[in-house]
Amino acid sequence: MLEDPYPFYAGLQQRHAVLWSEGMQSWLVTRYAECRDVLNDHERFTQDRKQIGGTASEARQNLQASALSDGLDPAGEKALRRLIVNSIHSQDIDQLAGSIRADVDRLFAALASRPVFDWMTEVAAPLAAAITAELLGLREPEPGTFKRVSEAIAQGYNADVKPENSKVGQDGRAQLGALIEDAWGAAADRGGAVAVLKNSADTNEFSTNRMKENLGLLFNGSFAAIFAACGNVALTLLRRPDVLDRLRDPALLDTGIDELIRYDGPAQVTSRVATQDTKIRDVAIRAGDGVIALLAAANRDPEEFPEPNELVLDRKPNRHLGFGWGMHGCVGQAFGRAALRGLVTGLHEAPTPLRLAGTPVRLRATSVRSLDSLPVTFAE
C-alpha cells in the first residue's frame, strides 16, 4: 500500500464515490468532480471545525486550520488569502527559474563523483529549501533544518493514530514559528512574501499573528510539496528512462511535468468539515461530519483522465490536484513546476545518466506522498 496505493484507490473508486470510514470518522470522497466540489465550496465545507462551533483534537488543529480560526468572516478569509497569493505572484518566476538551474548544476557537479548518494537529502532537500527561502524571504539554513521541521509537522498530523507524535508536531510548529519570526524581523533586507505582507500591515485588517500563521502554512505548502515532488518525479524517471528521453522535446516539457505530478503527486488527501446538512452525489452528509478528499484517487479518476494509469505527456486538459488546492496549489503550480523543469533539464545535460543504486524507501505519512530516501548514482 505504501509503495503503490493506486490499485487500492482504483478499487475503492469503482465501488464508491463517497463512503464512510469508521476508523477515520469521516466521509471519504474518491471521485475527481466531487473532490473539486468539496475543495471549492467554502460555504458547505470548511477547514476549521471551530467555525461551526465544534472542537478538534490537537492533532487536527493543523497549520491551515489555526490560520483561519481567529474569527475572520468568510470575506476576511478570502481577502487574507488573496493578499498571500498576491505575495506569491509578486515573485520573479523567470529569475527564480534561472537560480534553480544554477542550483541544480551546482548540486549535480558536486555529486558526480560520489559512488552513491541519497537524492532526497542531497538534491530534493537543498533545492526545496532554496526555493522556499527565496519565496518567503527566510534566511536559508542548512537544508536539513527545513526537512526536519516539515517532517515533524507532518508527523504531528498523525497524532490521533500515534499519540507520541503530538510532541514531535508541537516541536516542529515551534521551530517553524522561530523561522517566521526571524524572517519578519529581517523582512526589509530579504524581500519575499514576508516583506510583502509586512509592508501591507498598516493598510490591511489582519493581525500580525494571523499573517505569520499563514506564512507558516505557506512554508509547509512550499517546502513539503516541492521536496516530495522532486523525489516522486525522479523515481518515476529512473524507472521510466524512456519518459525522460521524450521530455527532451520542448513541446512536451511543460505538459509532461504536469502529467508526472498527476501520475504520482505529493498531495494525497485533504480534510474538511461540513458546515450544514448537504449531499455529495446522493449521499447525505450531516453538519459537523468530517469529509476527506482523496486527491490521489481523484488524479487517477478515468471520468476526468482517460487512461489514468498511463503517462500521457501531452495530456490536455490536465486539471490535476497533485499539489493540492488553494494556497498550496498556487505555490506548487508556480514554484514546484519551476523546480521540476530545472531538474529534468539538468538530468538531460548531465554527463552520465542518473541510475538507481539501492531500494527507495517511502516516508510513512498520510497527507503527503514522499520518499524518505532514494539512493542513486551518476557513476558509470
Side-chain angles (χ1 to χ4, degrees), residues 340-378:
L340 296 173
R341 280 195 300 271
L343 282 175
V344 169
T345 306
L347 288 172
H348 286 155
E349 298 178 1
T352 56
L354 187 72
R355 296 185 295 106
L356 272 174
T359 302
V361 177
R362 283 282 173 190
L363 185 68
R364 293 188 175 276
T366 56
S367 60
V368 63
R369 179 162 169 80
S370 180
L371 287 157
D372 190 36
S373 66
L374 178 59
V376 294
T377 183
F378 282 115

Side-chain angles (χ1 to χ4, degrees), residues 5-322:
Y6 298 107
F8 171 79
Y9 289 144
L12 201 63
Q13 196 176 69
Q14 289 170 8
R15 295 189 299 273
H16 307 282
V18 185
L19 72 154
W20 176 256
S21 168
E22 195 64 35
M24 303 186 77
Q25 288 293 292
S26 295
W27 294 98
L28 306 183
V29 182
T30 68
R31 289 287 182 178
Y32 177 88
E34 283 69 34
C35 284
R36 280 284 298 265
D37 287 347
V38 167
L39 298 176
N40 278 327
D41 194 336
H42 304 299
E43 290 187 5
R44 291 194 299 154
F45 304 101
T46 179
Q47 292 169 310
D48 187 5
R49 188 174 291 275
K50 287 186 284 184
Q51 289 189 7
I52 60 169
T55 59
S57 69
E58 181 181 344
R60 293 188 182 275
Q61 292 177 19
N62 61 30
L63 288 170
Q64 195 154 7
S66 69
L68 299 174
S69 63
D70 66 340
L72 289 176
D73 59 23
E77 292 174 10
K78 187 175 181 180
L80 179 54
R81 286 179 177 275
R82 186 185 307 115
L83 180 63
I84 294 171
V85 169
N86 287 343
S87 77
I88 298 169
H89 289 163
S90 70
Q91 308 295 310
D92 188 332
I93 299 295
D94 290 337
Q95 179 179 333
L96 180 65
S99 298
I100 290 171
R101 272 311 318 276
D103 286 340
V104 168
D105 290 345
R106 175 179 53 79
L107 290 168
F108 284 5
L111 297 166
S113 61
R114 295 264 294 273
V116 179
F117 63 91
D118 178 16
W119 176 271
M120 302 308 295
T121 301
E122 304 286 355
V123 176
L127 192 61
I131 294 170
T132 300
E134 187 162 345
L135 166 65
L136 268 69
L138 299 176
R139 176 171 48 85
E140 187 174 344
E142 186 271 323
T145 300
F146 280 12
K147 184 174 182 288
R148 286 190 295 273
V149 168
S150 181
E151 290 178 353
I153 292 169
Q155 288 183 49
Y157 295 165
N158 298 332
D160 283 345
V161 178
K162 293 185 176 182
E164 64 271 21
N165 285 1
S166 177
K167 178 64 165 58
V168 177
Q170 290 175 17
D171 291 345
R173 290 193 292 274
Q175 293 174 60
L176 175 55
L179 290 171
I180 298 297
E181 286 292 342
D182 175 71
W184 193 267
D189 298 326
R190 295 187 195 144
V194 174
V196 173
L197 265 64
K198 187 175 182 180
N199 291 340
S200 71
D202 294 335
T203 58
N204 70 54
E205 62 185 285
F206 314 115
S207 70
T208 298
N209 283 342
R210 196 54 56 224
M211 288 190 285
K212 289 177 182 177
E213 287 173 349
N214 274 270
L215 286 167
L217 168 62
L218 193 56
F219 166 91
N220 221 35
S222 173
F223 181 86
I226 294 171
F227 172 79
C230 287
N232 292 345
V233 167
L235 182 56
T236 299
L237 296 177
L238 285 162
R239 289 173 169 169
R240 291 287 306 276
D242 60 305
V243 172
L244 179 61
D245 190 56
R246 289 186 62 203
L247 290 176
R248 293 181 184 275
D249 181 350
L252 289 178
L253 184 57
D254 286 342
T255 56
I257 292 295
D258 261 333
E259 178 67 348
L260 286 163
I261 297 164
R262 179 201 68 82
Y263 184 77
D264 197 18
Q268 291 288 282
V269 303
T270 189
S271 63
R272 299 290 188 272
V273 180
T275 62
Q276 57 190 259
D277 290 346
T278 187
K279 285 188 176 182
I280 302 177
R281 287 207 176 184
D282 294 326
V283 178
I285 311 293
R286 295 175 302 175
D289 282 355
V291 179
I292 296 176
L294 298 179
L295 306 182
N299 282 336
R300 299 280 187 111
D301 185 349
E303 293 180 2
E304 176 67 20
F305 304 103
E307 298 182 280
N309 298 316
E310 299 297 323
L311 279 165
V312 182
L313 299 182
D314 59 352
R315 188 186 295 276
K316 289 184 181 180
N318 193 350
R319 298 180 290 264
H320 64 77
L321 306 174

